Amino acid sequence: MALLQISEPGLSCAPHQHRLAAGIDLGTTHSLVATVRSGVSETLPDEQGRHLLPSVVHYQQDSVQIGYEAQTFADADPLNTIASVKRLMGRGLADVKATGARLPYDFVEESGMPRLKTAAGLKSPVQVSADILKSLKNRAEQTLGGELTGVVITVPAYFDDAQRQATKDAATLAGLNVLRLLSEPTAAAIAYGLDKQAKGIYAIYDLGGGTFDISILRLQRGVFEVLATAGDSALGGDDFDREIAHWIMQQAEIPEDAAHTRIRSILTIARQAKEKLTSQESYPIEFEGWSDSLSRSQLEQLLKPLIQKTLPACRRALRDAGLNNQDIQEVVMVGGSTRVPLVRKMVEEFFQRPPHVDIDPDKVVAIGAAIQADILAGNKPDSEMLLLDVTPLSLGLETMGGLVEKIIPRNTPIPTAKAQDFTTFKDGQTAMALHILQGERELVTDCRSLARFELRGIPAMVAGSARIRVTFQIDADGLLSVTAQEQTSGIRSEIVVKPSYGLSDNDIEQMLRDAMDHADDDVNMRNLREQQVEADRVINALRAALKADGHKLLRKDEFNNINAGLDKLLKTTRGKEANAIAQAIEELNKITQTYAARRMDAAISQAMQGHRVDEF
């Protein structure tokens, strides 16, 4: 008799089968794909044995070249050759222009991210990134001989919600199942096997082609937690190249408004010089008949100001984590730009210990992402690794008076969910507008607007009676959803916060600096606004009461006395003294005590009409 094998629904016929998963480092200048084979995480090369894929796409009317092939068109056809697209992800045109970078593209401004005019039509940064991801997907599936179950894609720790969502959209467009978006510093720590240690505190210094991140991680009892993160989403090797190119243009007397094709050629020479000077003392440079040589010491003079810009972020991350240099157990270097000897030297001096540089800094992030993808795909069911990233800026709601009520403070580990109750401001209010904000300041005008939505159908009640619970939820990818629910009726409204574009280059850095610089002013302004809101509430309630029964319950002199107190409060509210407003509110409360008592007595008498006391 033959045995018939039966598989339960959802279970594989071959439960031991290895699911194909990959880690992708979608970088500014280069991208990589890696996977775990025979227990070892390794990057996958193309047919020519090249592991790095230049993050460059060249569009023609009927074809698309990606990587090295696209790079050959950078000088000859710059309008159709898109490079460093990661810097455009999740950003508006104004943000792109604010970087100061001279980009040789023809932008078309639309709502959300700008489009780029190419021979193949208008392309968004998401579409360009999707083409890069498709190339990496094809490389992985051809090498592994099967379809990918899912991927982990890395993003800078400082990518905001819009930039993360844009990355996820690009993956969806490329036909990839995203298991998780993983912060690049966390991926690097995994690659170095720091998760295998019992416990420790680590600094991950990540200087790539277009972004800089510093993250302070703590490993304790199997939990990998990001304690703090800081950085600059527009600082990296591209800026090194531009600084060298600027030096070349000055020496060769080339005007700043030179043609884009000439500038792209100079940038290529600058990048070659930077790479060669990591291992040699000088490098000869020639361009259009001009020649000179650049020494490593000259290079270091050019780059030192840029490298120094990374150190304040390191200090801030340590301060946010409540630590100092001596608390850091190990430092990990990530990103191709950390090959520059001066970078390694300055980082060692700052942290007072030599950093880890054992793994290729270009590959380390992809290798760590592949390890995490292997776990999430279910190939290591016994793995207990838990990763907790953090949200880089506080998230909150606008409240009366233009104030921001923070629901999720910055550096809160994610995934997370937090709720807070709010109420109505006016009698009979049946709707509430919710304004979601991001930032560290106390006033709406000083924070960044993320989204707006409305909760309608609130039962008409006296002001302050309704209870609206607002829940902020951030998933493991750092994406935010907000729900508002009225507790008595159960009506609810929700929104997945998907901003049209991200923060500009230095917005996050500036937001944190402004929050510190204006801390005292913000506290004073918040106190003022809160007193003004309370004054408005008192004034509106008193006016409504006087209109209803003031002439019946008050003598003329009492009525005039209350109106005088009301006028004084109105006048004081227009001022800038919170204490004076609070005092005026207190004085008006004293003046209206007798009136309030009479109103209560009248309400009780009316309620008892036709009833005996014992009925109550």
Side-chain angles (χ1 to χ4, degrees), residues 149-171:
T149 301
V151 296
V152 168
I153 300 178
T154 60
V155 293
Y158 241 51
F159 255 24
D160 71 356
D161 190 77
Q163 291 164 308
R164 289 170 185 262
Q165 185 63 58
T167 303
K168 210 167 185 180
D169 290 345

Side-chain angles (χ1 to χ4, degrees), residues 22 129 191 271 353 368 419 427 444-445 451 482 499 555 605:
S129 295
R271 185 176 64 252
R353 57 184 40 77
D427 292 344
V444 169
T445 51
V482 180
R555 299 192 307 271
S605 297

Side-chain angles (χ1 to χ4, degrees), residues 15 31 58 151 168 176 232 241 324 345 413 444 543 552 583 585 613 616:
S31 296
H58 178 249
V151 296
K168 210 167 185 180
L176 290 166
D232 190 332
D241 297 344
N324 54 45
K345 180 183 176 184
V444 169
R543 279 175 169 170
K552 290 190 294 184
Q583 188 176 346
I585 292 172
V613 174
F616 291 92

